[in-house]
Amino acid sequence: SSSARYTPQERLRLALDYVATHGRLRLDDYVRLTGLTRSTASRELCRLAADASSGLRASGRGPVKCYVAAAPSEP
């Protein structure tokens, strides 16, 4: 299966590295990076963006939705 190529932690690292380099990550970028299907990649990105500890947050809606680095939380 395509999800066996990388562990969830490795996929998160790929996403964070991509955002650090390019400033934002779109669904198509994540599909290309990870080899996941669009639907699986979309669900995973939504889950990551909802998790404050992931380091990613969603920006925009619909076709312009992308993922950017989350601001570090205040202690």
Side-chain angles (χ1 to χ4, degrees):
S1 93
S2 58
S3 61
R5 189 184 309 176
Y6 297 107
T7 67
Q9 294 83 6
E10 288 170 331
R11 292 193 299 268
L12 175 57
R13 174 54 41 209
L14 287 170
L16 292 172
D17 289 347
Y18 190 92
V19 168
T21 305
H22 297 87
R24 66 180 183 174
L25 173 79
R26 291 183 307 262
L27 176 57
D28 287 341
D29 301 322
Y30 194 64
V31 167
R32 198 169 50 252
L33 283 173
T34 63
L36 296 174
T37 64
R38 280 181 65 85
S39 59
T40 302
S42 178
R43 284 193 303 271
E44 186 160 284
L45 284 172
C46 285
R47 185 179 49 75
L48 288 171
D51 177 0
S53 68
S54 74
L56 283 181
R57 71 173 176 83
S59 175
R61 295 176 66 132
V64 295
K65 188 171 192 176
C66 60
Y67 298 85
V68 296
S73 57
E74 295 292 320

